[in-house]
Amino acid sequence: MTPGVGIWRCVKCREGVFPQRLLCPRCHGDDFVPDRVYEAVVEEVSMIRHMLGQTDWQPRRIASVRTSNGPRITIGLRDESSPGTVIELFEEDTAPYGAARKPST
Ligand SMILES: [Zn+2]
């Protein structure tokens, strides 16, 4: 598991994009550098109950999240977080996931 999710950041205006685009949606620059985001707020949660061609599919939750300093991305949700929850982002096998931040002790 790798902390954070890889995104691309415009060199010119620092806008974050994911997936990578040809041109920046804000300033139309074409220079991007890889960056990572570690935190996001859940905006919408959906459940995928079936997947074509998958016989042993387990229902899983995906969430549309707004990253703290980057774009809105879709991730696999690993817990019962609902909209408004601040979650931590991480990658497993390059796929983005998130789960509620553990309360600091
Ligand atoms: Zn830009």
Side-chain angles (χ1 to χ4, degrees):
M1 171 180 130
T2 317
V5 166
I7 63 161
W8 295 91
R9 195 169 291 286
C10 174
V11 170
K12 241 201 262 179
C13 73
R14 307 304 294 166
E15 175 88 345
V17 299
F18 182 87
Q20 189 176 20
R21 309 224 189 139
L22 238 40
L23 295 176
C24 170
R26 192 199 273 176
C27 74
H28 298 155
D30 58 2
D31 230 357
F32 294 93
V33 286
D35 196 5
R36 296 189 83 73
V37 288
Y38 296 91
E39 211 175 80
V41 177
V42 176
E43 293 196 329
E44 209 180 307
V45 177
S46 1
M47 178 81 88
I48 304 181
R49 295 182 189 283
H50 305 283
M51 183 67 79
L52 274 180
Q54 301 268 352
T55 46
D56 55 353
W57 180 263
Q58 297 295 315
R60 57 186 70 179
R61 289 151 64 85
I62 60 167
S64 170
V65 303
R66 164 62 76 176
T67 55
S68 52
N69 55 354
R72 180 177 285 114
I73 60 177
T74 300
I75 56 144
L77 201 56
R78 280 293 166 80
D79 61 10
E80 301 298 308
S81 295
S82 48
T85 309
V86 177
I87 58 167
E88 271 182 339
L89 301 172
F90 54 91
E91 282 175 345
E92 267 172 28
D93 299 327
T94 74
Y97 289 98
R101 195 154 43 142
K102 313 262 181 309
S104 47
T105 46

